[in-house]
Amino acid sequence: MEKSLKTNCIEEGLQMAKTEANLRRAKEEEKRIGGTVAGCPFRTRFHIMPPVGWINDPNGLCQFHGVFHAYFQYSPLSVHGGGGYWGHCTSRDLLHWEYHDPVLTTDIPEDQSGVYSGSALIEDGKMYLFYTGNVKLPGDYDYIDSGRISNQLMVISEDGQEMSQKKKLLGMEDYPEDITAHIRDPKVWKADGRYYMILGARARGYAEDGSRRDKGGVLIYASEDKLKWNLHQKLIPEKAFGYMWECPDLFELDGEKVLSFCPQGLEAEKERFQNIYQSGYSLLSRSSDPEETFTEWDMGFDFYAPQTFRTEDGRRIMIGWAGVPDTEKAHRNLSVANGWQHCLTLPRELSIKDGKIYQKPVKELYALGWKNEQTADSRYHWDGRTVLLEIKEIGGMFQKIKIGQEENGLTIHIEDDLAELSFLAGGAGTAAAGRETCECGGGRRRRIGRVSGKVDELTVLADSSIVEVFVNGGELVFTTRIYLEGRERDLTVSGAGKYSIFTV
């Protein structure tokens, strides 16, 4: 017993020393290039960004003692990612964020290769954070069936910043035999006195000819005490719908049971699955087959890994990563030259209408004191970083919005039931093949989507280097990054409808 206690003390001391060393490196890097990052013209005003370096998945979204907490995958030491930290910021209004020191880093054997995504559970005045600890063993492995260890871990906090010792909840020995080593991103909630954890998974699968064809799915575990977990349900479709599902989320919205997930490996179609990896939701209350009701969350170039949470006033809020994995060869982000890359989306309120989830900016956005800009013509230049355009009574008629200048900008084309975003020279609405891309898009080309009726209203928010487009009250949404210098920030509107331009 005495030896065990001594061993525990030594291990805790080693972990603390590693934690402090990792956090010190992060703070040194933030100090070293913080000035360059802060001076970048592409920094946003109302979107979560990395203090320096790289950001991806939102994690642990919650409201705790009235304060909103957002954690995120953070790589302060590399603008090209690589994980290693959970960054942390807080807000009173979901728009103005205060950044704090990172709260998690790779400091124990169970997460030595990465502190991956996870979630928060608020209970009894404490915050319980769950995440995946990733381990990649050195050697000649495929890191699918061998060489990778995925652990589910938990820490506890009373203030959202200082964390307890890490506790392992699940390891490879706890997963079904047909599940590969790719299992991650725990989302935890409580219902009817029990705790549930949903995990994204990759199951081994084979085609009729015997070739390997893995299938994405989710595992749901249940617990009475948040410590001991048992498999409750395995949802792996009979027919493969992607080879891996990431960042799962399961919640109720207006009486509907919603499964949100990111299926990897779907074949691109002309008007669906236009990104390398997709992100969407299925209404399990309408069909037990997720593919049958699958709808993409966002039809833009930059959206992935969303997570939702419930606010203290009962709203279901979603934040996503304004990026997609493995897109470096497809397009680039021009902020890299200034030492940072990516941001998160604006928080969005979710509701259901006619079997479809609608997204709209959080109500706090409209309390910012926007100034209505009266303009005699259709072109407006904004000096600040944020502009809001609202167009109503379009009636499915032709509408064209240009953000930027004619030779370098984003074109939004509206007609009938179609909405199109284009960074192609010559704008949108014409054949795309062979046309050059505008510099401000970093290689992004064209994305399209359709609504159930005709396009009648449009809300466009441009916050420096991110544009979010909400069509017909959020029935259809596009997110894209855009890189315009201040002198290029023109907004031109032409076509049907009544429009208003606001700045703040």
Side-chain angles (χ1 to χ4, degrees), residues 451-481:
V451 293
S452 54
K454 294 184 176 181
V455 176
D456 193 54
E457 60 180 84
L458 201 67
T459 297
V460 181
L461 176 73
D463 185 11
S464 184
S465 61
I466 182 171
V467 173
E468 291 166 278
V469 181
F470 301 84
V471 185
N472 284 5
E475 177 187 354
L476 179 68
V477 183
F478 295 85
T479 300
T480 184
R481 301 302 302 278

Side-chain angles (χ1 to χ4, degrees), residues 202-275:
R202 176 175 180 167
R204 296 181 188 88
Y206 300 89
E208 292 184 359
D209 62 2
S211 60
R212 184 74 173 262
R213 188 182 182 188
D214 289 355
K215 299 190 293 185
V218 296
L219 303 179
I220 300 177
Y221 285 76
S223 173
E224 302 293 335
D225 59 4
K226 299 187 290 290
L227 298 174
K228 297 179 180 178
W229 296 83
N230 296 299
L231 184 63
H232 173 72
Q233 182 182 359
K234 182 167 68 169
L235 176 54
I236 309 291
E238 184 72 22
K239 175 187 174 185
F241 186 60
Y243 62 79
M244 171 70 195
W245 291 3
E246 291 193 311
C247 304
D249 196 351
L250 187 62
F251 57 91
E252 285 195 7
L253 182 65
D254 300 339
E256 297 273 11
K257 188 176 182 181
V258 181
L259 172 65
S260 173
F261 61 104
C262 298
Q264 297 184 332
L266 301 183
E267 292 188 13
E269 300 177 11
K270 183 178 180 181
E271 297 188 4
R272 293 205 311 164
F273 313 149
Q274 298 166 86
N275 287 332

Side-chain angles (χ1 to χ4, degrees), residues 306-358:
Q307 185 174 109
T308 76
F309 70 102
R310 191 175 176 85
T311 63
E312 293 173 358
D313 63 7
R315 292 176 290 164
R316 176 65 59 174
I317 304 296
M318 181 175 74
I319 301 176
W321 172 33
V324 177
D326 303 330
T327 55
E328 291 83 359
K329 293 182 179 180
H331 52 71
R332 63 195 185 280
N333 296 307
L334 306 188
S335 62
V336 168
N338 291 314
W340 69 284
Q341 186 169 195
H342 296 305
C343 67
L344 304 186
T345 69
L346 194 76
R348 302 169 180 179
E349 298 182 20
L350 305 183
S351 61
I352 284 188
K353 178 182 177 182
D354 299 328
K356 183 176 290 188
I357 296 182
Y358 282 64

Side-chain angles (χ1 to χ4, degrees), residues 152-426:
Q152 312 312 320
L153 305 170
M154 180 184 75
V155 294
I156 305 171
S157 179
E158 296 186 0
D159 62 2
Q161 185 64 34
E162 298 299 324
M163 301 295 160
S164 70
Q165 290 292 311
K166 299 174 178 179
K167 183 171 183 60
K168 177 183 173 182
L169 304 177
L170 294 170
M172 299 305 297
E173 65 277 9
D174 300 302
Y175 310 136
E177 291 185 0
D178 64 332
I179 301 298
T180 70
H182 281 266
I183 179 165
R184 52 184 172 267
D185 310 333
K187 178 68 185 293
V188 177
W189 71 97
K190 187 177 183 180
D192 300 324
R194 299 183 78 193
Y195 303 95
Y196 296 91
M197 175 193 296
I198 188 169
L199 292 163
R202 176 175 180 167
R204 296 181 188 88
Y206 300 89
E208 292 184 359
D209 62 2
S211 60
R212 184 74 173 262
R213 188 182 182 188
D214 289 355
K215 299 190 293 185
V218 296
L219 303 179
I220 300 177
Y221 285 76
S223 173
E224 302 293 335
D225 59 4
K226 299 187 290 290
L227 298 174
K228 297 179 180 178
W229 296 83
N230 296 299
L231 184 63
H232 173 72
Q233 182 182 359
K234 182 167 68 169
L235 176 54
I236 309 291
E238 184 72 22
K239 175 187 174 185
F241 186 60
Y243 62 79
M244 171 70 195
W245 291 3
E246 291 193 311
C247 304
D249 196 351
L250 187 62
F251 57 91
E252 285 195 7
L253 182 65
D254 300 339
E256 297 273 11
K257 188 176 182 181
V258 181
L259 172 65
S260 173
F261 61 104
C262 298
Q264 297 184 332
L266 301 183
E267 292 188 13
E269 300 177 11
K270 183 178 180 181
E271 297 188 4
R272 293 205 311 164
F273 313 149
Q274 298 166 86
N275 287 332
I276 184 173
Y277 302 129
Q278 318 311 319
S279 179
Y281 66 89
S282 300
L283 300 180
L284 297 186
S285 48
R286 302 196 174 212
S287 174
S288 59
D289 181 0
E291 182 178 1
E292 188 172 327
T293 59
F294 184 79
T295 303
E296 291 174 79
W297 282 117
D298 193 294
M299 301 303 290
F301 300 90
D302 298 277
F303 187 90
Y304 196 74
Q307 185 174 109
T308 76
F309 70 102
R310 191 175 176 85
T311 63
E312 293 173 358
D313 63 7
R315 292 176 290 164
R316 176 65 59 174
I317 304 296
M318 181 175 74
I319 301 176
W321 172 33
V324 177
D326 303 330
T327 55
E328 291 83 359
K329 293 182 179 180
H331 52 71
R332 63 195 185 280
N333 296 307
L334 306 188
S335 62
V336 168
N338 291 314
W340 69 284
Q341 186 169 195
H342 296 305
C343 67
L344 304 186
T345 69
L346 194 76
R348 302 169 180 179
E349 298 182 20
L350 305 183
S351 61
I352 284 188
K353 178 182 177 182
D354 299 328
K356 183 176 290 188
I357 296 182
Y358 282 64
Q359 308 167 55
K360 62 180 181 181
V362 288
K363 63 182 181 182
E364 288 84 351
L365 179 72
Y366 297 96
L368 287 177
W370 294 88
K371 179 183 177 183
N372 192 341
E373 301 289 351
Q374 301 296 329
T375 175
D377 55 33
S378 61
R379 174 168 293 185
Y380 175 77
H381 181 84
W382 75 95
D383 295 326
R385 292 183 173 177
T386 310
V387 64
L388 180 67
L389 168 67
E390 292 187 341
I391 309 178
K392 298 181 179 181
E393 301 180 22
I394 300 172
M397 302 297 287
F398 174 84
Q399 177 60 256
K400 176 183 174 183
I401 300 103
K402 190 78 171 187
I403 301 176
Q405 299 180 338
E406 192 59 37
E407 66 278 8
N408 188 37
L410 168 67
T411 302
I412 304 171
H413 169 225
I414 301 296
E415 194 165 5
D416 196 27
D417 65 345
L418 174 74
E420 176 187 0
L421 268 63
S422 174
F423 284 102
L424 296 174

Side-chain angles (χ1 to χ4, degrees), residues 14-83:
L14 291 173
Q15 177 189 344
M16 185 177 298
K18 190 170 183 179
T19 302
E20 291 176 351
N22 286 348
L23 293 179
R24 183 171 62 253
R25 283 195 290 269
K27 294 175 73 172
E28 288 173 351
E29 188 66 8
E30 289 175 356
K31 183 178 180 180
R32 186 182 73 85
I33 66 169
T36 301
V37 170
C40 177
F42 306 131
R43 296 293 278 181
T44 69
R45 294 178 66 193
F46 304 113
H47 292 72
I48 295 171
M49 306 169 289
V52 302
W54 163 289
I55 191 175
N56 56 291
D57 303 7
N59 297 154
L61 304 180
C62 62
Q63 190 174 12
F64 185 47
H65 298 316
V67 177
F68 296 105
H69 291 255
Y71 302 91
F72 48 86
Q73 293 288 291
Y74 181 36
S75 299
L77 306 181
S78 173
V79 73
H80 298 291

